Amino acid sequence: DVILGASMEELERLRQQFSALQAQDTMHRLSERNCIEIVNKMVASKLLDHLVFTQTGREYVTKARLEQEILDEIERARGRLRVNYLFSTLNIDEGTIQAKLKEMLSVNKALHMIHDELITRDYLDRMAEEINQALQEAGSLSLTSLADRFDLPPDFAKSEIKKRLGKSIRGNLEAEIIFTQAFVDRHAYVIRGLLSAATRPVSLQQTIEAFDLQENLAVNAATQLIQEGIVMGTLQGRTEKATFIPTIFNLSRQKSLESFYVQNNYISYQTVEKFGYSSPAAWMSTNFPEGKALATCYVPDLVANQLADAVTEAIAEDTWVDLTTVVPPQLTAADLATLIQACPLLAHSSESRAMLLDDRYAVSRAFVGRCFEILEKNVKERAEASKLTQNTPLGTPQGPSSSSSKGKGASEDQDDDAGAKGGRKGKGRGGPSAPDKGKGARKAGESENSGARSSVKEDHARHGMALLVKMFPEVERAVLAAIVAHARGRMKEVHEAALKTVFVQANSDRKKQHVAFQTQLSNMYFNLVMFKKAIEAPGFPAAERPILEKHIVKLIGNNIVSLLTEDQALDHVQGPVSINSPAEREAIIHRLPPGPARQLEAVSAGLSLALGPFIELVEAASAAFQMRLGKLDARTERSILQSHGEELRGQLRDEDRPANVLQLCILLMYMHVHHAVMNVPARSLVSLLNRIKGGIPDEDFALLKEFHGLVVQYLSAKPDAPDKASMHDRLAGMVPRLKDRVAALLEGDEGSTGSESLPPSSPSPSSS
């Protein structure tokens, strides 16, 4: 107090001196410009360093005075002022004020700069009081709405409000919302009343919307009430989407579900979900651990045991059982599959005694085995039967459906007959395959083959089904159909194996027959060539040639045409054929494909031609039919001569009729003299007889001439001629002597040709 009093006295004394000074007259007056220069001089000499110029430059203010004026302006604005307002009010440049404000903010913690606004602590305190008043009235306020209301950044507003919670602001902050305790208690009372009165599930979301409650407060209140045991029940779900399940409702639905489950031995997940359980399988596994979770329902172990017992009984009685009749009918195929998969008796193993068919039938393997034996036997029998009805060429062991068969029997220029060609494989007998008609043709062929295979499978299934129905009339057709479907693959393998065996054997038989035909054709062809050579030999009467050629073509040519027809019939006509007449041969030719038929018709028409053109037709047909004729060399010719001579000698030994003996002797003598085969009609024997004159001893020729004359005389005599009997006796007496002379002449030939190998026997050209 003493110090304060002294200071006041000093101030009063100074005031009086200043007043006296002002009352005195001015002796020297300084102009305004001189004053400005003096001040600038003092600032330049750093005698005054705390002055701040105004924007006009005519006024000065100290830094302390500037700070005070800034604080005064803020105070007049009730603690919140925009910075740009100071620029115009204080008449000081912006940089100076900004620098001063920065200095003030670093020292004064009660002053804040927010978005070019100066805000004091007093303003924030008054704001807090206003917020508290509004909070007590509303019960809850959000920080976002408060920030918008006071035009403050959310983070700054949240920070300042948090500092004053529990002090000037009586409330609690939770999830960006300030609540009063009365507001929280009101939520708890509402939630408590609603949940306590509930007898069925209640959605918290619907409750919050209906009573306009705060989500977090409602959820927290419900959770706390349940934890404290005030409300009996549970919450399913999270946050506001949770559902309150009253204990009384939970007990009631559990009892209902258990009753349904026990009575029906199953319960679907859909039924459990209707009672409010979002994870039905997990809930059932927890409450009924002795059961089994399936795809769409839950069943007790009793159902699995019943299924196993039914399978065991079927195995013991060597029969079958429909598993859908053992389990509850409401089970789906996926449910049944799960139960079957868990049954060890139906394991996919060769050791299991039962097997599953059509996903529902448990069948004893012994019964299935019996059915398989019946089906396999039927398939083999049908495969054997197909051998009798097969009328297409064999190309591969797989049977007639093979698309790789080689063509045989058509000429090279007949492309349109390629599809009808038969084929067989073997050395020197393969022909060109059918021409490729393009990708479309291949696809069409593949489609036809696929359709054929499908037809074969359906045929197996149809025959197998009919057979099993006949054998087991007491078994359901669906079970037999399942067994047939299961055996399809096996039936196909058995059928293919049987067909392969049948077709391979048939192929082998056909090849052997073809080889035999080729051998016969070669021998007859060689005979034709040798006859032609003999007829065209020098010195042979030209007048006799047409007659002999016609005779030889008619004699051997018919056999050749028939043989070629039989060969083609092996490939194109059902089963082997035997031709006994030209009419039968023509009928078979008409049944052949166009290519082979035209070739055979050409050869058949050549029977009326000369020997040379007919041989050319035979050669062309043989080439088209891929039958190798071979080449007539000297060795083969000698062998044919030897074979032909032995055959004629054998006929001569067994022949007693004079006319036949005469013909055989002349043919043998002609072969002995000219070393050529020959066959002539009876009227041409004189020509051959004249040609052997000089080639045999005269006495032998005379004997043969005499015998010829007697034969002609005997044959031309009337039956009732008186000397016919004597002529016959004379001829009969001459036959042994003639045979002996011929045999003596031919002994030299036997010694010279006896070492030659002989070809297979061929039809004798002398048999007429």
Side-chain angles (χ1 to χ4, degrees):
D1 292 339
V2 176
I3 296 174
L4 181 60
S7 297
M8 292 300 294
E9 292 177 357
E10 181 66 22
L11 287 174
E12 181 63 23
R13 188 179 61 83
L14 291 174
R15 187 185 67 80
Q16 293 175 358
Q17 290 179 359
F18 184 71
S19 297
L21 182 62
Q22 286 181 337
Q24 293 179 4
D25 295 332
T26 302
M27 295 179 64
H28 302 286
R29 184 181 297 273
L30 296 175
S31 64
E32 183 180 354
R33 180 176 180 180
N34 292 333
C35 292
I36 293 174
E37 291 178 353
I38 291 172
V39 172
N40 290 336
K41 187 69 174 178
M42 293 177 67
V43 171
S45 61
K46 295 184 180 180
L47 295 176
L48 295 174
D49 57 355
H50 55 282
L51 296 178
V52 177
F53 292 93
T54 63
Q55 291 183 350
T56 61
R58 294 180 179 274
E59 295 179 357
Y60 305 92
V61 65
T62 63
K63 292 182 179 180
R65 181 62 183 176
L66 176 61
E67 180 177 349
Q68 186 60 44
E69 288 184 2
I70 291 174
L71 293 176
D72 291 344
E73 292 295 332
I74 295 174
E75 184 65 24
R76 276 193 293 271
R78 294 181 57 81
R80 185 170 181 174
L81 179 67
R82 290 188 176 277
V83 175
N84 56 6
Y85 179 77
L86 294 174
F87 302 154
S88 60
T89 302
L90 299 180
N91 196 23
I92 297 175
D93 64 280
E94 182 180 346
T96 301
I97 293 177
Q98 290 286 6
K100 189 60 181 178
L101 288 176
K102 184 177 181 182
E103 179 183 347
M104 292 171 63
L105 290 172
S106 63
V107 176
N108 189 355
K109 301 301 181 182
L111 185 64
H112 304 279
M113 173 76 77
I114 303 299
H115 292 173
D116 292 335
E117 281 189 317
L118 295 172
I119 299 176
T120 63
R121 183 180 297 169
D122 294 339
Y123 174 83
L124 296 175
D125 292 340
R126 288 193 303 272
M127 182 187 71
E129 292 175 359
E130 186 178 347
I131 290 173
N132 182 64
Q133 183 179 359
L135 177 62
Q136 300 308 317
E137 293 176 358
S140 67
L141 293 173
S142 67
L143 292 180
T144 303
S145 64
L146 291 175
D148 293 340
R149 176 178 177 180
F150 293 98
D151 193 19
L152 293 174
D155 294 339
F156 177 76
K158 180 178 180 180
S159 174
E160 294 301 324
I161 290 173
K162 279 186 175 181
K163 293 177 182 178
R164 291 162 177 78
L165 284 175
K167 299 174 184 177
S168 57
I169 300 176
R170 296 191 303 275
N172 298 317
L173 178 64
E174 184 175 350
E176 304 295 323
I177 298 178
I178 306 173
F179 304 102
T180 63
Q181 187 60 41
F183 187 81
V184 175
D185 294 341
R186 184 171 71 86
H187 275 68
Y189 297 149
V190 173
I191 293 297
R192 178 177 179 178
L194 290 172
L195 299 187
S196 297
T199 58
R200 61 177 56 192
V202 176
S203 171
L204 291 185
Q205 181 69 33
Q206 296 177 357
T207 302
I208 291 170
E209 293 176 357
F211 292 90
D212 194 19
L213 303 177
Q214 292 291 334
E215 295 178 354
N216 292 337
L217 294 180
V219 174
N220 293 339
T223 303
Q224 186 175 0
L225 290 171
I226 293 173
Q227 291 176 351
E228 293 175 357
I230 299 175
V231 176
M232 304 302 294
T234 58
L235 283 178
Q236 290 185 356
R238 295 181 179 181
T239 64
E240 73 281 358
K241 296 182 180 180
T243 301
F244 173 73
I245 309 297
T247 300
I248 185 173
F249 174 80
N250 206 17
L251 294 175
S252 175
R253 68 174 179 176
Q254 286 186 12
K255 187 176 180 180
S256 299
L257 291 174
E258 182 178 358
S259 176
F260 183 92
Y261 177 68
V262 172
Q263 292 177 7
N264 297 278
N265 284 331
Y266 94 100
I267 189 168
S268 66
Y269 296 147
Q270 187 177 6
T271 301
V272 180
E273 288 177 347
K274 288 181 179 179
F275 280 84
Y277 294 105
S278 57
S279 301
W283 186 86
M284 291 296 299
S285 299
T286 302
N287 292 273
F288 303 97
E290 76 285 355
K292 186 174 184 62
L294 304 180
T296 64
C297 64
Y298 195 88
V299 297
D301 290 339
L302 175 64
V303 175
N305 295 335
Q306 290 176 349
L307 187 142
D309 293 341
V311 175
T312 302
E313 183 178 357
I315 293 174
E317 297 179 0
D318 192 15
T319 182
W320 59 276
V321 61
D322 186 355
L323 299 179
T324 59
T325 62
V326 179
V327 300
Q330 293 78 9
L331 268 63
T332 63
D335 299 329
L336 181 60
T338 304
L339 286 174
I340 292 173
Q341 189 176 6
C343 182
L345 297 175
L346 294 174
H348 296 285
S349 172
S350 58
E351 299 179 357
S352 62
R353 299 173 59 191
M355 62 190 307
L356 180 68
L357 297 179
D358 202 16
D359 296 331
R360 59 181 293 182
Y361 300 111
V363 188
S364 168
R365 284 192 179 271
F367 180 72
V368 174
R370 282 193 294 151
C371 294
F372 276 15
E373 291 177 358
I374 295 173
L375 294 175
E376 289 180 6
K377 182 179 179 181
N378 176 257
V379 168
K380 290 180 180 178
E381 291 175 353
R382 292 176 59 242
E384 286 289 338
S386 68
K387 179 180 179 181
L388 302 178
T389 59
Q390 178 61 39
N391 60 354
T392 56
L394 292 176
T396 60
Q398 283 74 15
S401 63
S402 172
S403 61
S404 61
S405 299
K406 301 294 184 181
K408 175 187 180 291
S411 59
E412 296 179 358
D413 58 341
Q414 294 166 339
D415 292 341
D416 58 330
D417 299 330
K421 291 181 181 179
R424 53 182 181 265
K425 294 183 178 179
K427 182 178 179 182
R429 303 188 68 84
S433 60
D436 189 359
K437 300 298 182 182
K439 187 175 182 181
R442 290 195 296 272
K443 287 187 176 180
E446 293 173 1
S447 177
E448 292 176 1
N449 292 337
S450 176
R453 289 192 294 269
S454 177
S455 176
V456 170
K457 290 182 180 179
E458 293 176 0
D459 193 44
H460 290 332
R462 184 174 63 256
H463 283 276
M465 185 66 185
L467 183 60
L468 292 184
V469 169
K470 181 179 179 181
M471 297 294 295
F472 305 103
E474 73 283 358
V475 180
E476 287 188 11
R477 295 178 67 91
V479 178
L480 297 179
I483 294 175
V484 171
H486 181 70
R488 268 191 173 187
R490 188 167 176 178
M491 285 193 295
K492 179 184 176 184
E493 293 177 358
V494 172
H495 185 259
E496 289 181 350
L499 283 181
K500 183 176 181 180
T501 301
V502 170
F503 291 151
V504 167
Q505 182 62 40
N507 238 355
S508 177
D509 295 343
R510 291 188 182 189
K511 287 181 179 179
K512 291 179 181 179
Q513 188 64 40
H514 287 312
V515 170
F517 283 155
Q518 182 168 311
T519 301
Q520 295 179 35
L521 179 64
S522 297
N523 290 336
M524 287 188 284
Y525 170 73
F526 289 154
N527 285 331
L528 287 177
V529 174
M530 292 183 68
F531 283 141
K532 181 175 181 295
K533 181 179 180 182
I535 293 173
E536 295 177 352
F540 197 89
E544 296 290 337
R545 289 180 182 177
I547 300 175
L548 293 182
E549 287 185 356
K550 184 176 181 180
H551 170 73
I552 292 172
V553 169
K554 181 178 179 181
L555 179 67
I556 302 178
N558 274 301
N559 294 336
I560 290 178
V561 176
S562 297
L563 187 141
L564 290 175
T565 304
E566 291 179 7
D567 178 75
Q568 289 302 296
L570 281 177
D571 291 330
H572 302 289
V573 180
Q574 176 180 332
V577 297
S578 177
I579 299 175
N580 299 317
S581 66
E584 292 180 357
R585 182 175 66 209
E586 293 300 323
I588 294 175
I589 290 175
H590 291 158
R591 295 167 57 188
L592 296 177
R598 283 196 290 269
Q599 289 284 349
L600 293 174
E601 289 173 354
V603 179
S604 179
L607 293 174
S608 60
L609 301 178
L611 184 58
F614 179 76
I615 291 176
E616 293 178 357
L617 290 174
V618 172
E619 291 174 346
S622 301
F625 298 156
Q626 300 173 7
M627 300 181 72
R628 297 177 60 187
L629 294 176
K631 184 178 180 181
L632 183 62
D633 53 14
R635 183 173 180 275
T636 304
E637 187 173 354
R638 288 195 301 272
S639 298
I640 292 176
L641 284 172
Q642 181 181 355
S643 176
H644 192 71
E646 289 180 356
E647 187 173 357
L648 291 178
R649 286 195 293 270
Q651 293 179 15
L652 181 61
R653 284 193 298 268
D654 300 331
E655 187 62 62
D656 293 327
R657 290 172 295 183
N660 290 343
V661 170
L662 174 64
Q663 185 175 10
L664 292 173
C665 290
I666 292 176
L667 292 177
L668 284 171
M669 292 298 99
Y670 187 86
M671 182 183 299
H672 170 72
V673 175
H674 297 283
H675 300 287
V677 294
M678 181 56 64
N679 194 314
V680 296
R683 63 179 181 272
S684 301
L685 288 176
V686 177
S687 176
L688 292 186
L689 183 61
N690 295 331
R691 291 206 68 202
I692 62 177
K693 183 178 181 181
I696 59 176
D698 293 338
E699 61 274 15
D700 293 334
F701 179 78
L703 178 62
L704 192 59
K705 184 76 172 176
E706 181 185 0
F707 191 76
H708 174 264
L710 287 174
V711 170
V712 173
Q713 186 179 358
Y714 176 77
L715 293 177
S716 60
K718 296 182 179 180
D720 54 351
D723 57 347
K724 192 173 183 65
S726 61
M727 283 189 293
H728 180 271
D729 294 338
R730 185 178 175 185
L731 288 173
M734 294 179 65
V735 166
R737 185 156 57 96
L738 185 61
K739 288 183 178 180
D740 293 339
R741 293 304 306 161
V742 171
L745 288 173
L746 297 178
E747 286 181 358
D749 292 342
E750 292 180 0
S752 61
T753 60
S755 60
E756 295 290 344
S757 60
L758 299 177
S761 61
S762 61
S764 172
S766 63
S767 60
S768 60

